[in-house]
Amino acid sequence: MIEAYYVDDINTTTIINKALKGLLPELDAHSSYLDKKAYKELKISTNGEFGGLGIVVGMKNGVLTIISPIDDTPAYKAGLKAGDIILKINDKATIDMSLDEAVSLMRGKPGTKITLTIVRKGQKPFTVTITRAIIKVKSVKAKDLENYPKIKYIRISSFDKNVVPSLKKILANLKKEGKEGIIIDLRNNPGGLLNQAVGTLDLFVDKGVLVSQKGRVKSENEVYYAHSAGTYKNIPIVVLVNGGSASASEIVSGSLQDHKRAIIVGETTFGKGSVQAILPVNKNEAIRLTVARYYLPSGRTIQAKGVTPDIVVHPAKIQKEEPAELIKEANLKAHLKAELAKIEHKKTKKENPKNLQKINGDLQLLTGADILKALIIQNESKK
């Protein structure tokens, strides 16, 4: 009937494609039809490089929501935040728009501009113009932590194929560097590959279930177990999470929490605990279909609930009060100026060390560092 009576000439293939695009999102927010272009982009993004803005988006409560901006991308630099609602892409309203259509509109030729209309809690809608770029994701960054010499700060921005190999290299050098504890920052990490989440957990948990998935079809049921070989089972860990931590991030933080292997600090995570399988239709097309849900070792689900931190800390900036001006030894005439110059010189040499993660008033990071410092002291007292 469409072919016979529709106002424009339209062929069967186009009709079927449109039907599929309409059908799958009606099942749930994460199922979708991947045409040739979308299927190609999916393959590229899991390899850690793609073109676009540098945000991960999803449907939350029926609206297009930023799950997280990716570190050091145009979207991140433009100030977009987890939880922001994208109301319009250029002049197109996103209400009733499919997730794949929205992603397709936002991706484009590097150097071209796009304007997003954003709704943020407690603010009036505002527009942000961003220049598209090739997004190269360095998924793991390790730094020393300012004022905490025994702590290694590890930032995991997404779980692409490079995470576990990168972590193994970092962990192998901890003892040589004199580090006795690690902070794993999963804030605004949208997830990624399940095998990388499982591999990350296996580095810190030596036995038991890491995560399981259960679906209607028995072949989709899977239990992932820890292996004792190569496990860093004694090093204290603090994991930072927030509302932008989703999927694989929630598996890692939730499983470490269940195993009492880490202290989780921050805010309740996004709540994406479903498993999507990519089922190819042919060489160029596929469907992304929700086939199972994740369950943490305790049996609890992440879906729509997220992971609640052990210690809830909302983002805030810490401001130092300037101490009252006191008369110090350095102000006295009799002070040995030469000695003071030596001290000042030493101070200067210590400033701005390379590869240092500054806390910069980050309350969540500061809280995590203080907790980890206490755990390190507790470990030392047992020796």
Side-chain angles (χ1 to χ4, degrees), residues 54-58 60 63-70 75 80-86 106 116 118 120 188 243-244 270:
I55 49 173
V56 177
V57 293
K60 193 169 187 180
V63 293
L64 186 65
T65 305
I66 295 175
I67 296 175
S68 66
I70 299 168
L80 295 185
K81 296 181 179 180
D84 284 349
I85 292 167
I86 301 175
M106 286 187 285
L116 304 180
I118 301 295
R120 183 175 293 166
N188 296 324
F270 186 79

Side-chain angles (χ1 to χ4, degrees), residues 104-173:
S104 181
L105 284 171
M106 286 187 285
R107 286 189 178 170
K109 190 177 178 182
T112 58
K113 294 183 184 292
I114 183 171
T115 300
L116 304 180
T117 303
I118 301 295
V119 176
R120 183 175 293 166
K121 191 175 179 181
Q123 296 186 28
K124 292 180 179 179
F126 60 93
T127 60
V128 179
T129 299
I130 305 171
T131 302
R132 295 181 180 95
I134 292 293
I135 309 300
K136 292 183 179 180
V137 181
K138 188 178 180 185
S139 52
V140 182
K141 295 178 183 176
K143 296 184 179 183
D144 296 334
L145 189 61
E146 180 185 33
N147 299 327
Y148 294 85
K150 295 182 180 180
I151 294 174
K152 195 73 173 178
Y153 171 86
I154 303 172
R155 166 68 180 155
I156 305 177
S157 57
S158 66
F159 282 92
D160 64 22
K161 66 180 183 179
N162 303 310
V163 170
V164 174
S166 299
L167 280 176
K168 284 181 177 178
K169 288 179 185 176
I170 295 163
L171 295 171
N173 291 317

Side-chain angles (χ1 to χ4, degrees), residues 33-34 36 39 43 279-286:
Y33 167 67
L34 304 173
K36 186 176 180 178
Y39 192 25
K43 290 176 182 175
L279 307 173
V281 176
N282 53 45
K283 275 186 176 181
N284 298 318
E285 299 167 305

Side-chain angles (χ1 to χ4, degrees), residues 11-23:
N11 61 39
T12 304
T13 302
T14 304
I15 294 168
I16 291 170
N17 285 353
K18 288 180 180 292
L20 284 168
K21 285 180 179 178
L23 166 66

